[in-house]
Every structure is written in structure tokens, then in C-alpha cells.
Amino acid sequence: MAAQIFREAVFSKALRFARSARGKGKSIRTYLIAITAVILVPTILFGWWLILLLAASERTSIERRATQEVQGITALIDHEIIVAKSVLIALASSPFLQTGDYGSFRDKAVDVSRQLGIQIVLRDPKRDVQLINTSAPANAALPRGLPAEPRAAEDEVLRTGQIVVSNVFLGPLTKQYTVAV
């Protein structure tokens, strides 16, 4: 229905143009060019408008999918951090750790580390040394010091007493990107 009204409007404009130019000595070629222009220009503009609408719709769809993907990844990361916090709280309450039995604590930490696929490190911040690292063999020499990211997290933990998550850093022993909780 709309297309028929559009065609009638275009043809009526072309007919009026042809009648107005009839007595002015215009050739048939001029009339044909004018009629073609009257038909093509609105069609091209309408097509351009449709393409712009389609592009805007596609952009909105892509943005919506990207937002959903980011929200899903964020929820997954938040869940992993909650699990890590829970594991660390459970390990911190270990009687082996309370009595200073680091060998038995290391065995338990290694079991948990293997089950969850995580690295567990116990540090003495006063001496700036690792006491236990589940990524290293039991009697291996462990690295001293910390990269800047976990050092900042450790300082905040010591200052506030709250659990803190560091920025991503390259682990000195594993040579893999990780975060400290």
C-alpha cells in the first residue's frame, strides 16, 4: 500500500514536470532523465536510510552481546575469588598452621591445590620469605621478595586485616599470570 502511494506520488511529480516543460522546447531525452532522477533519487535515499538503520541495529545487538559476555565473565571471576577466599579462610584455621607444623600444613595445602588447580603460597612478611609454595617441590629454595602487585595487596591486608585481591602479575616461580588473594 505504501509502495503504491509512493509510486503514484513519484509519477504525478514526473508528469507535472513534463507538462510544465512541454512548451519550453525540451527534448524527450530531458524528460526521460528527469523522470529517472525523480524515481532514482528517492529510492537511493530510502536505501541509504535503510542501511543506516540496519547498521545501528547491528551495532546495538553487538554491544548487547558484548555486555552480556562481560557480565558472564565478571560473575565467573567473582565466583572464583569467593572460592579462593573460602579456601584460604579454611586453610588459615588449620590446626597444623596454628601449631607451626608447616610440613603437615604443606601436605594439606598441596592436596587442596591439586584438587582446585590453584597455587597456594604461605609467606612471612616480616622476613619477606615464602614458607610454603605448592608449585615448588617440598624442600626447594623459594624466591624472596614479591612483585609490586602482590606486595601492595599484602601491605593492605596487614594494614586493614581484610581479604584483598591483587592486580594481575607474573608469578616469579610459575612464570604465569596470576592474582594474589
Side-chain angles (χ1 to χ4, degrees), residues 94-107 122 132:
S94 167
F96 300 126
L97 189 59
Q98 302 300 325
T99 60
D101 184 359
Y102 294 129
S104 298
F105 178 79
R106 184 184 191 292
D107 294 340
L122 177 64
I132 296 172

Side-chain angles (χ1 to χ4, degrees), residues 106 109-111 113-114 118-121 132-137 173:
R106 184 184 191 292
V110 167
D111 288 342
S113 174
R114 285 189 185 132
I118 61 175
Q119 175 188 12
I120 299 172
V121 176
I132 296 172
N133 188 327
T134 59
S135 295
L173 190 62

Side-chain angles (χ1 to χ4, degrees), residues 8 20 74 80 97 110 133:
E8 288 175 7
S20 70
T74 301
E80 291 293 321
L97 189 59
V110 167
N133 188 327

Side-chain angles (χ1 to χ4, degrees), residues 13-14 19-20 23 25 34 41 46 54-55 77 81 83 85 89 105 118 136-139 158:
K13 284 183 181 181
R19 285 186 184 148
S20 70
V41 169
F46 182 69
L54 179 65
I77 291 170
I81 289 172
V83 167
K85 286 179 180 180
I89 289 170
F105 178 79
I118 61 175
N139 294 323
L158 294 173

